[in-house]
Amino acid sequence: MVLLDGKSLSKKMREEIKKEVEGLKKQGVIPGLAVMLVGENPASQLYVNMKTKACEDVGIYSINHRMPKEISEDELISVIKMLNNNPMVHGILVQLPLPPHIREERVIEAIDYKKDVDGFHPYNVGTLSRGNPMFYPCTPFGIMKLFEEYKIELKGKDVVVVGAGNITGKPMSAMLTNADATVQLCHIHTKNLKDKTSKADILISAVGKPHLITQEMVKEGCVVVDVGISKINGKVTGDVDFEGVSQKASYITPVPGGVGPMTIAMLLYNTLKSAINSK
Ligand code: NAD
């Protein structure tokens, strides 16, 4: 069994990004990312802090917009419009989830798709299915980079993606389809999940339910990617029963240290790409 080590691949990528940022600065362009956080959700605060710290480490300029949870949808959108017009800002990220009185779709649609480094704008979601978005969403993009790094062939492989969320499962299945894999996208209403997962050459779980994927549910030699993040007694855990599943898997991501660090690396990559595009 080989660990798909997202921590070390992300470190390597961040070093490369840092060098490119330095080069860009010499040409007078300082890549900038605006991170918007509404309210005080502790998990969101943690993610925002991790993202801004990662920017700092590679020399990307980050602007934090922290707004009270009472902010109106229109006020939030007016801040986004201001950032759309700011040439110092190359990427705009709105940390999700938003408070219930704010319509997520409306906010995401307000972001200039050329600065949509999360890849959630309908323009990028639509062009993703054709295989040429301006930005790929960071989590599935990071998983594709792991496959590339470990030379995991996708063409013709039977892939099962568990979890059909907009952030991971759905874009992941589109990216894998574009890479010529045969993809089955499963979710909470899928019948006989085990029937599907046990036939997969590659299994990706993006649900957020600890121990959802057990040893009996995977094929010998399967490649297993665990996107889920849950906390049990303060300890971060994925969807996969690592101890059991790793005995059958050929490759497997650890949690933490697998997909999470790759997601952040891809955000930096997308911001750098946007800054290069702006020249
Ligand atoms: P989501 O929360 O939008 O959707 C969850 C999906 O799981 C839904 O399609 C639902 O139908 C499905 N589901 C729920 N229970 C199920 C079950 N018992 N069997 C099969 N399917 C089931 O998805 P998301 O935003 O991609 O988040 C999923 C998980 O991945 C969360 O734990 C989140 O924290 C984590 N996540 C991690 C990273 C990272 O960088 N590591 C990035 C994004 C999301």
Side-chain angles (χ1 to χ4, degrees):
M1 181 274 291
V2 175
L3 268 189
L4 294 169
D5 187 349
K7 199 172 166 192
S8 73
L9 177 56
S10 80
K11 187 164 177 269
K12 192 166 99 181
M13 286 194 68
R14 281 184 281 125
E15 277 157 15
E16 285 163 12
I17 291 169
K18 191 174 179 175
K19 277 190 207 131
E20 287 210 45
V21 168
E22 278 160 17
L24 208 53
K25 282 182 178 169
K26 284 187 189 131
Q27 299 167 49
V29 181
I30 304 166
L33 174 69
V35 180
M36 308 175 72
L37 174 63
V38 180
E40 282 159 17
N41 177 323
S44 294
Q45 283 180 334
L46 179 73
Y47 292 140
V48 162
N49 290 342
M50 282 162 69
K51 288 168 187 176
T52 46
K53 163 87 173 54
C55 281
E56 250 173 53
D57 289 348
V58 298
I60 291 176
Y61 166 70
S62 74
I63 313 161
N64 258 332
H65 282 272
R66 291 179 187 244
M67 284 155 288
K69 65 177 187 308
E70 299 78 24
I71 192 171
S72 73
E73 191 176 279
D74 285 341
E75 279 173 302
L76 179 58
I77 288 175
S78 69
V79 178
I80 292 176
K81 286 191 174 150
M82 193 183 73
L83 295 167
N84 282 344
N85 293 323
N86 183 343
M88 301 283 286
V89 173
H90 303 100
I92 302 171
L93 178 160
V94 179
Q95 185 64 44
L96 303 176
L98 290 168
H101 67 280
I102 299 178
R103 284 167 292 178
E104 209 169 275
E105 323 81 68
R106 220 185 134 224
V107 170
I108 290 172
E109 279 169 32
I111 299 172
D112 179 350
Y113 72 88
K114 294 190 252 12
K115 297 189 178 187
D116 169 42
V117 286
D118 256 342
F120 297 158
H121 186 282
Y123 174 89
N124 286 314
V125 176
T127 47
L128 174 76
S129 80
R130 270 197 330 223
N132 60 346
M134 188 75 78
F135 300 104
Y136 286 102
C138 302
T139 302
F141 196 13
I143 295 170
M144 295 299 275
K145 286 281 172 194
L146 275 172
F147 291 149
E148 195 183 303
E149 176 74 10
Y150 286 85
K151 302 190 169 45
I152 292 168
E153 175 79 48
L154 299 173
K155 194 178 283 184
K157 291 291 163 67
D158 290 329
V159 185
V160 170
V161 179
V162 186
N166 291 326
I167 294 178
T168 316
K170 282 189 212 160
M172 184 82 257
S173 66
M175 290 167 81
L176 290 161
T177 304
N178 290 337
D180 298 325
T182 306
V183 185
Q184 199 166 25
L185 182 56
C186 302
H187 44 75
I188 187 122
H189 302 294
T190 298
K191 287 179 283 176
N192 304 323
L193 185 62
K194 186 182 161 199
D195 279 1
K196 277 96 179 160
T197 58
S198 58
K199 294 187 184 85
D201 300 315
I202 300 174
L203 174 64
I204 299 167
S205 186
V207 171
K209 191 167 185 282
H211 304 297
L212 175 69
I213 308 295
T214 56
Q215 196 182 42
E216 315 75 68
M217 293 171 77
V218 303
K219 187 167 84 171
E220 196 71 49
C222 181
V223 174
V224 180
V225 175
D226 190 353
V227 185
I229 297 179
S230 311
K231 270 200 174 168
I232 301 182
N233 303 326
K235 191 171 169 274
V236 175
T237 166
D239 294 343
V240 175
D241 170 19
F242 186 88
E243 219 177 286
V245 172
S246 60
Q247 288 172 31
K248 282 170 109 180
S250 54
Y251 294 85
I252 187 166
T253 56
V255 177
V259 176
M262 290 306 296
T263 298
I264 295 194
M266 301 328 292
L267 173 66
L268 304 175
Y269 178 99
N270 280 347
T271 306
L272 171 67
K273 179 182 169 184
S274 182
I276 293 170
N277 287 347
S278 75
K279 280 200 295 173

